[in-house]
Amino acid sequence: ENVVNNLILTVRGTFSTDELVEEVEKRNRLKLLMPWLEGRVHEGINEPATHNALAKIYIDSNNNPERYLKENQFYDSDVIGKYCEKRDPHLACVAYERGNCDLELIRVCNENSLFKYAARHLVRRRDPVMWEHVLDPENTFRRPLIDQVVQTALSETQDAEDVSTTVRAFMAADLPNELIELLEKIVLENSVFSDHRNLQNLLILTAVKADPTRVMEYITRLDNYDAPDIANIAITNQLFEEAFAIFKKFDVNTSAVQVLIEHVKNLDRAYEFAERCNDPTVWSELARAQLTSGAVKEAIDSFIKADDPSAYLDVIEAARNNDGYEDMVRYLQMARKKAREAIIETELVFAYAKVNRLADLEEFISSPNIAQIQQVGDRCYDEMLYEAARILYNNVSNYARLASTLVHLGEYQAAVDGARKANSTKTWKEVCFACVEAGEFRMAQMCGLHIVVHADELEELIGHYQSRGFFQELIQLLEAALGLERAHMGMFTELAILYSKYNTPKMREHLELFWSRVNIPKVLRAAEQAHLWPELVFLYDKYEEYDNAIQTMMSHPTQCWKEAMFKDIITKVANIELYYKALSHYLEFKPMLLNDLLLVLTPRLDHTRAVGYFQKVGQLSLVLPYVKSVQSHNNKVINEALNNSYIENEDYDSLRESITRTLSITSSSP
């Protein structure tokens, strides 16, 4: 051996170290080359064969081989790894790890159950490809390897990147339950990564998807995760209690109560939570939910606790629909302190009216405010809140509506005063009609005097009285109105018509006084309908309808015939046939006055016809004075009639005188 050793040491030149080592190794005398190999190393020879041979010697001699394998940079890891596989699998792993021979290392670990070493190597290596290889479902050694990763490898590392890569590998392999085990080990067992935010997030999120039963435990035990994001993911996955617990733990109270309201749908729990945290924003959220559910009183209580007037429009509408005006008053009083809005003050005034807090109402409107008093007054009036309406209308000096309101309150005198201030025909009518309904005719008349002067309003007023049977009161009203400065024809006319219906004795007097101020055709019809013939004749005479006047007197002689009037009017008629009808009428009813009538009509009569008529009826003797008076006309018919009458009466003296008169007239005519 010494000879060979010296020979090797003295030989210089180029030769194959691999062949030398191989020949020596065949003879199992590799250790013989140790001095020469160490010498070459000291000379700075970096040839892999030299370092491989030296590594084999150290391994076989157990001369601190692990240190050599870890520190030497020049040996071939693949060669030395294979050399060690049967001798010492651990050293093989060291060699393979040094040369990043990952697949060989994993194979050796699997064959020799060195899963702890493999786990440590994989964690340190951070190679996604290797992780994918070992976590493949086809790998029969996956489970023991995962156990060592969870129990040993990650517990030992303090490098965040090691942990991050491992976690990503588990996620990529879709191993949620194993990932949970892994993360529990890292996060829950007081490792340096216990407070790592991303790992805590990942643990909770993985549990959300893989094992929701663990989520509540994690969110309770952990403190450094992204609470809002995690909670929202929990909500997405229907884990409402867990989301509520997260928000509650991190004092995100508004979101917490929203979970109870919108997802758990338990307003009682939401109320208990609001009481416990007493957060204004929580009360506001609860109030809106209560309002939506129809719990108006509870919603208003919550809004008041929140000191939140922002939803005043919704509260007003809901309270109005539920007739919750008592509660509305409380809410609007709070809201008014926070927001100066016209609608808030307007609705507060109306709410005072609805709950009959009239003293508060009066105090409110007497102080500075921006409420729409007129609008509220109209609403109160429409809802028959007349006491409140009176206060409001009085405040804005709306005397027209005030008068209407007082009417409904039965305060008629005050209503008349209000109507006087309003001075509106519409108001006067309303008050007047109300007084009529109430039997307050004196005040009704006071109002009516302001109505009747308007001709277009007169008919409605009269109709209102008449439809209720108050005829005499209506007559009294119109009688009182005749003396007004603005009295017009319609008033005189309608009073005449009323007299014709309800007080006929006074009609003639009225017509005689005011016939020139009435609408005669209209009154004529009323008189005719009422069979007031004397008044009818009077009106015909004034209206110059003489024919109708004469016909009326002849048709109703017992009621309306007057000799003087008849004789006066008959001379004015246009239809001469009426002369002869009048003669017939007199002949029948007033024969002794016939000659007086004939005397009046003499200038207008056809004497031949007139005499012929009397001859025909055999009453010529009754009108002889008329016949004698017209004999001067030397009419043959008249002369014959007169002479025949004398003959029949054997009045020869008169006959002689008649003939003499006739001859005298004839001789004197040209």
Side-chain angles (χ1 to χ4, degrees):
E1 291 182 359
N2 290 332
V3 173
V4 174
N5 206 5
N6 290 330
L7 180 63
I8 294 171
L9 290 173
T10 56
V11 173
R12 293 289 184 267
T14 303
F15 60 90
S16 173
T17 304
D18 284 334
E19 292 179 4
L20 174 62
V21 171
E22 183 180 355
E23 290 299 325
V24 175
E25 192 174 8
K26 286 179 182 179
R27 292 163 179 78
N28 200 22
R29 303 299 296 274
L30 188 60
K31 191 174 182 181
L32 182 68
L33 298 177
M34 184 174 174
W36 177 73
L37 293 170
E38 289 179 340
R40 286 177 64 84
V41 170
H42 288 311
E43 291 174 5
I45 300 300
N46 295 331
E47 183 185 25
T50 301
H51 291 273
N52 288 346
L54 195 58
K56 291 178 181 179
I57 294 170
Y58 288 155
I59 291 168
D60 289 341
S61 63
N62 196 25
N63 183 12
N64 202 6
E66 186 171 351
R67 177 181 176 185
Y68 180 83
L69 294 177
K70 288 181 178 179
E71 294 178 356
N72 188 282
Q73 301 177 6
F74 304 110
Y75 69 87
D76 187 332
S77 296
D78 189 48
V79 172
I80 299 304
K82 288 179 180 178
Y83 183 79
C84 294
E85 284 184 8
K86 300 300 182 182
R87 293 172 174 80
D88 189 340
H90 175 73
L91 292 178
C93 291
V94 172
Y96 283 141
E97 184 176 14
R98 174 259 182 200
N100 292 330
C101 302
D102 299 321
L103 293 176
E104 289 78 1
L105 186 150
I106 295 301
R107 176 179 53 76
V108 170
C109 288
N110 288 342
E111 291 174 354
N112 296 277
S113 298
L114 297 176
F115 302 115
K116 185 179 296 186
Y117 194 96
R120 289 170 176 159
H121 171 72
L122 288 166
V123 169
R124 289 193 297 269
R125 187 76 173 86
R126 306 175 188 170
D127 185 348
V129 176
M130 284 307 302
W131 275 114
E132 182 180 2
H133 173 72
V134 300
L135 294 178
D136 190 295
E138 301 297 324
N139 180 13
T140 57
F141 301 101
R142 185 176 73 167
R143 182 66 250 180
L145 177 63
I146 290 174
D147 290 341
Q148 290 305 317
V149 171
V150 172
Q151 296 171 13
T152 304
L154 283 181
S155 301
E156 295 172 351
T157 185
Q158 295 188 0
D159 191 319
E161 189 60 30
D162 289 348
V163 175
S164 176
T165 303
T166 304
V167 169
R168 286 197 295 270
F170 274 68
M171 292 172 64
D174 193 22
L175 298 169
N177 293 314
E178 290 78 3
L179 181 59
I180 290 174
E181 293 179 39
L182 175 67
L183 293 172
E184 280 186 340
K185 189 72 176 178
I186 299 171
V187 174
L188 298 180
E189 295 189 4
N190 296 322
S191 72
V192 294
F193 301 106
S194 294
D195 292 329
H196 195 281
R197 178 176 293 272
N198 290 337
L199 293 178
Q200 291 194 10
N201 288 341
L202 186 58
L203 175 58
I204 297 173
L205 292 176
T206 305
V208 166
K209 298 182 181 301
D211 191 356
T213 59
R214 298 187 182 186
V215 175
M216 186 64 81
E217 176 190 356
Y218 295 155
I219 63 179
T220 304
R221 293 180 61 181
L222 302 178
D223 299 305
N224 192 31
Y225 49 87
D226 294 321
D229 295 335
I230 297 293
N232 289 328
I233 293 171
I235 291 171
T236 304
N237 288 272
Q238 309 293 310
L239 299 176
F240 304 130
E241 292 294 344
E242 288 79 359
F244 171 69
I246 294 171
F247 286 133
K248 180 181 176 183
K249 180 175 182 176
F250 288 88
D251 294 326
V252 188
N253 295 329
T254 304
S255 297
V257 79
Q258 285 175 344
V259 171
L260 293 176
I261 292 168
E262 298 174 11
H263 303 292
V264 180
K265 299 187 185 303
N266 191 327
L267 293 184
D268 292 335
R269 282 184 62 190
Y271 178 79
E272 292 171 3
F273 178 74
E275 277 200 321
R276 187 162 55 250
C277 67
N278 199 26
D279 185 335
T281 57
V282 172
W283 282 117
S284 291
E285 291 293 333
L286 175 61
R288 286 181 169 83
Q290 290 170 326
L291 197 64
T292 302
S293 69
V296 179
K297 182 181 185 306
E298 293 78 3
I300 288 176
D301 291 337
S302 298
F303 275 122
I304 291 173
K305 290 176 181 176
D307 208 20
D308 177 13
S310 61
Y312 62 87
L313 291 174
D314 295 331
V315 173
I316 290 169
E317 182 179 1
R320 188 185 298 161
N321 293 338
N322 288 272
D323 200 28
Y325 289 97
E326 286 283 2
D327 300 311
M328 191 197 292
V329 167
R330 296 188 295 112
Y331 174 80
L332 294 176
Q333 286 173 332
M334 175 276 295
R336 186 173 183 246
K337 296 175 184 176
K338 294 286 184 179
R340 296 285 290 180
E341 295 285 346
I343 189 171
I344 291 177
E345 301 199 2
T346 300
E347 291 298 328
L348 179 56
V349 172
F350 185 69
Y352 277 140
K354 287 290 286 185
V355 299
N356 203 33
R357 289 172 58 173
L358 301 183
D360 292 332
L361 169 63
E362 209 157 358
E363 180 182 354
F364 182 91
I365 62 175
S366 62
S367 61
N369 66 84
I370 55 174
Q372 296 177 342
I373 305 299
Q374 173 67 42
Q375 180 191 102
V376 180
D378 292 340
R379 288 171 63 188
C380 290
Y381 183 90
D382 293 339
E383 297 201 19
M384 297 185 289
L385 303 173
Y386 297 121
E387 286 290 353
R390 173 171 63 176
I391 295 171
L392 296 168
Y393 286 138
N394 196 50
N395 179 264
V396 295
S397 301
N398 187 339
Y399 297 113
R401 295 310 296 268
L402 177 60
S404 301
T405 303
L406 291 168
V407 162
H408 288 288
L409 291 172
E411 299 182 17
Y412 299 106
Q413 183 60 59
V416 172
D417 294 338
R420 184 175 292 109
K421 293 177 181 177
N423 197 25
S424 159
T425 303
K426 180 181 178 182
T427 305
W428 282 120
K429 282 168 56 179
E430 185 175 356
V431 177
C432 177
F433 293 168
C435 290
V436 170
E437 297 292 344
E440 298 287 343
F441 295 109
R442 183 181 64 83
M443 283 176 279
Q445 180 172 313
M446 294 170 62
C447 299
L449 292 176
H450 293 273
I451 301 170
V452 295
V453 294
H454 300 283
D456 52 348
E457 303 290 348
L458 185 58
E459 183 178 354
E460 183 181 358
L461 175 70
I462 291 172
H464 189 82
Y465 271 85
Q466 287 193 119
S467 64
R468 288 154 180 78
F470 301 131
F471 310 120
Q472 295 306 318
E473 291 78 4
L474 176 59
I475 289 173
Q476 291 171 7
L477 167 59
L478 291 176
E479 287 175 342
L482 295 184
L484 296 175
E485 183 179 346
R486 296 173 61 191
H488 53 81
M489 177 179 287
M491 294 161 52
F492 292 95
T493 301
E494 293 298 337
L495 181 56
I497 293 171
L498 289 171
Y499 281 147
S500 73
K501 296 178 180 178
Y502 311 117
N503 196 348
T504 53
K506 298 190 71 173
M507 184 178 182
R508 182 57 178 262
E509 178 185 354
H510 177 73
L511 292 176
E512 288 176 351
L513 290 172
F514 303 114
W515 66 267
S516 62
R517 303 191 66 177
V518 302
N519 184 336
I520 292 180
K522 194 172 182 180
V523 179
L524 278 170
R525 289 193 295 273
E528 186 174 6
Q529 290 173 359
H531 295 181
L532 300 177
W533 311 119
E535 290 78 2
L536 187 63
V537 171
F538 177 82
L539 290 170
Y540 279 141
D541 182 25
K542 297 301 182 183
Y543 200 49
E544 298 182 359
E545 289 195 7
Y546 304 118
D547 293 23
N548 287 333
I550 290 298
Q551 287 181 343
T552 301
M553 283 194 285
M554 289 191 297
S555 298
H556 307 282
T558 57
Q559 289 97 344
C560 61
W561 184 84
K562 292 184 179 178
E563 181 185 4
M565 178 182 288
F566 190 90
K567 289 194 295 185
D568 178 55
I569 296 174
I570 193 65
T571 60
K572 302 174 185 177
V573 299
N575 185 359
I576 60 174
E577 290 297 323
L578 290 176
Y579 299 155
Y580 305 103
K581 289 183 179 180
L583 294 178
S584 175
H585 175 74
Y586 264 67
L587 187 61
E588 182 177 358
F589 292 99
K590 297 290 183 180
M592 302 311 295
L593 300 176
L594 189 54
N595 285 292
D596 293 338
L597 176 62
L598 288 167
L599 183 61
V600 171
L601 293 177
T602 295
R604 297 170 177 79
L605 284 175
D606 178 351
H607 303 302
T608 302
R609 180 178 176 182
V611 172
Y613 168 72
F614 287 115
Q615 282 182 317
K616 182 178 179 181
V617 297
Q619 297 296 336
L620 186 62
S621 59
L622 190 61
V623 294
L624 284 178
Y626 156 70
V627 178
K628 288 179 181 180
S629 67
V630 297
Q631 189 177 16
S632 59
H633 292 273
N634 198 21
N635 183 294
K636 180 180 178 182
V637 174
I638 294 173
N639 292 336
E640 289 180 354
L642 183 60
N643 293 335
N644 288 336
S645 174
Y646 289 152
I647 293 171
E648 289 178 5
N649 294 322
E650 298 181 355
D651 186 356
Y652 301 116
D653 293 333
S654 297
L655 176 60
R656 184 180 295 109
E657 183 181 348
S658 171
I659 293 171
T660 303
R661 189 182 308 113
T662 302
L663 292 174
S664 174
I665 293 171
T666 301
S667 62
S668 62
S669 59

